[in-house]
Amino acid sequence: MGKKHGHGKHAHPGKSGPPAAGQPMGQSGGSGAPPGGIAAVMARADALLERERWAEARALLAPLAAQRPRDSGVLRALCTTYRGESNWSALMEACERLIQLDPGESTALLVLAEAQANDDHPALALRSARQFLARWPNDPQAGTARKLIDVLQPEVTARVRASTLSAEIGDEMMALHEQALALLSRGEYAHSRQTEERVLQRVPHFAPALNNISTAYALEGRLAQAISTAERVLARDPDNMHALGNVVAYLCRAGRGAAATDWVAKLKALKSPHPEAWIKKAEAFSYLGDDQAVMDAYEQVRQASEGLALTEHPLGLHLVAVAAWRLGREAEARRLWRRALKLAPNLEPARANLEDLRKPIGERHAPWPFGLSYWIGRQVLEDVVSASKTLADEDDSEQVGRGLRGALARHPELSGIVPLLLDHGDPISRGFALGLAQYATTPELLAALVEFALGQRGPDAMRLTAANAARACGAMPAGRVRLWMKGEWSESQLIGFEIYDEPDERHGPQVQDLIERGALALRENRFDEAVAAHRQAQAIEPDAPDVLNNLAASLGAQGHDAESDALIERIFREHPEYLFARLNQASLLVTQSRLAEAKALIDPILQRTRLHISEFRALARVQIEYWLADGKIDGARSWLDMWESVDPDEPALEGTRLRVAMAGMLYRTTRKQTTRWLPPPIIGANTTAAEEPAAVPPAAPPATTPPPRRSNLPSLKRSPGSHARNALTSPEGELHG
């Protein structure tokens, strides 16, 4: 109902009204006095209520009511606040609590009836008004109660006649049904179902009660019971719009969208006499992501209504706006969202979508119809989060993956809804789905990652993360792939490296000592000592590629470019598969502007799935220099970002950042690149003997948005003592023994 029934805005429920400002309150008990004392807070609240500053009063009173749940004075003031805000559902609950504390609260009962009427529960309101008259027939407000009954009775009678309820028990059963609906909206699912069971004891096949029970089951995460209850309705009434919409939505949430095909076809064809049936259609089709079906349902009711009266439903308008945007009708979508917010200013999904659409196009999640709670029940979500707890405690993403695969075995529906969440979930839902797919890595979830990566939904960064995660697990080939980035299709390079940093000691103690002495000398710019130490190591192991590599770096730092270059070519000739040999040769080719030849050497390395941290640094350096030489600043910046993400404490990053920044400025005026200012050869290690490391988990569970497993952006945690050998760096290169 749209009218207010009852008293003026300032009336506090209760026969005697609120206590005077400054008097002690809460004679009924309670604890946890706020700063300033109860009396001071209530005095401020009363002053705000007198000025109709409802939101400010609520900010004071709601926490106080939570602290002092048996304080009737606080509840009276809170009821006044909710009434002023026209927050009818909250007012209903507050009045019920007040009446429980003091059954003699006559005004509270009448205000409860007003709230129930305005919250579209006319049978409940009728029952409350009758209770008021039965108990207080001579109360000064009895006339108001009688007027309320006169308004409500015809509406309740009409609803009973339109149902399968008999006139004898119709008012009573309709009130119980509306009570169950109110409980459902508060999250009291079990209590709601129990209330509807009382209806079914008298009317065993009352479809609205069964539909409500079905909804309660779904909100509890008990989808099998929700589906069977909806099917129970459809067995007797195949055209029941609510049951049809429910069974489609629940099958989607159960990961069984394909099983809903027949129901979807029936739902699309069905024309219901109920004015808001289109909203049930829009809701079901929104779960499926069937945008055109949502728009068709809206257009049908809009044309049939010959106006806008039947379409003025805030949630329905939001769902249509989502579908319109996804179909490219952006101006219409914005208009619909604005209309929805005008009707319901607190409609959070509409507001959140509009706020998200203010972001740059490559950072948007919008549009989405529902939040995560619409898709996954609390118990299921808690189980998944519990299964991923090791993310915060252990450096073992394989163990996390096993835990999440166990959760998937317990809740197989999750595999079916991950593609839907990636396609049209809100930011939390999409992050949850991405994290689950990255770590569980089942074939179904990897296929969902690939589909998401190659599509146009969601932020660019998340799709690139999905692509690299799929690449790391072999679900996508390495190399360049066509992705939707910044609102257009572009070629992107996929990489999927697992980065590890265990030390690798392949040399005897004497050679190892010489390598480390040379590395230290090189870092301290004592180039002659560095060359001497590395020549001594070469004399003991003349063909070791990493010994030769370190010597080449020392010679280059000493200024012997010709000898250094010749040694690089020799290493590559004798050890063509040695990663550092290939990268050093590629770096040399870049300095000679032989970019095609350099690329041919680099590309096979990009196919690898596992790199030592020193190998990754070397690859990042060469890639940065390659893209700078090619005049592609964005490519260089991309590799710089990846390097910073993997190894943010690496000292060589500072100089590299400067080179990229300077190159960006130079390329504004010229695309010609000098050659010899590039860094000397990269010094690296032979890492073939390193043991398989534990992949490092992200810092948060996948219910948010974890970094990719085996991706280009892991956060490394090195074991104690490994840093001295794994990250000995200088402005000229990388040393590792």
Side-chain angles (χ1 to χ4, degrees), residues 282-296:
E283 181 186 43
F285 299 144
S286 294
Y287 274 104
L288 288 167
D290 190 339
D291 305 310
Q292 191 57 56
V294 174
M295 297 302 300
D296 290 345

Side-chain angles (χ1 to χ4, degrees), residues 364-383:
R364 296 174 183 170
H365 282 274
W368 65 83
F370 311 119
L372 187 60
S373 62
Y374 279 73
W375 293 95
I376 302 174
R378 180 179 297 275
Q379 292 181 343
V380 175
L381 187 60
E382 288 176 351
D383 187 26

Side-chain angles (χ1 to χ4, degrees), residues 291-469:
D291 305 310
Q292 191 57 56
V294 174
M295 297 302 300
D296 290 345
Y298 175 68
E299 289 297 331
Q300 288 171 8
V301 71
R302 193 176 66 83
Q303 294 174 11
S305 68
E306 297 181 355
L308 296 177
L310 298 184
T311 63
E312 295 293 84
H313 190 287
L315 178 61
L317 292 174
H318 159 65
L319 297 177
V320 176
V322 171
W325 188 283
R326 284 165 56 92
L327 291 171
R329 296 157 64 172
E330 298 181 4
E332 181 179 3
R334 290 186 186 276
R335 178 180 59 79
L336 289 165
W337 271 315
R338 287 194 293 268
R339 181 60 185 162
L341 286 171
K342 185 175 182 180
L343 294 170
N346 296 322
L347 186 61
E348 182 57 27
R351 185 175 303 282
N353 270 270
L354 284 173
E355 289 178 357
D356 188 83
L357 289 170
R358 296 190 184 102
K359 298 177 181 178
I361 190 169
E363 300 176 17
R364 296 174 183 170
H365 282 274
W368 65 83
F370 311 119
L372 187 60
S373 62
Y374 279 73
W375 293 95
I376 302 174
R378 180 179 297 275
Q379 292 181 343
V380 175
L381 187 60
E382 288 176 351
D383 187 26
V384 175
V385 172
S386 176
S388 67
K389 282 296 186 183
T390 46
L391 282 170
D393 305 325
E394 303 290 341
D395 287 357
D396 189 352
S397 62
E398 290 295 340
Q399 183 178 345
V400 173
R402 288 192 296 272
L404 290 177
R405 286 189 288 273
L408 285 173
R410 294 188 294 275
H411 310 290
E413 70 274 11
L414 292 175
S415 292
I417 67 171
V418 162
L420 300 177
L421 295 181
L422 291 173
D423 180 73
H424 51 277
D426 74 329
I428 294 176
S429 302
R430 187 171 274 138
F432 172 87
L434 180 60
L436 183 62
Q438 284 178 275
Y439 283 89
T441 62
T442 65
E444 298 85 357
L445 295 185
L446 289 175
L449 284 181
V450 173
E451 181 180 5
F452 173 59
L454 298 179
Q456 296 175 258
R457 308 295 185 197
D460 294 350
M462 291 187 76
R463 278 184 281 99
L464 187 57
T465 293
N468 282 323

Side-chain angles (χ1 to χ4, degrees), residues 108 544 568:
I568 289 171

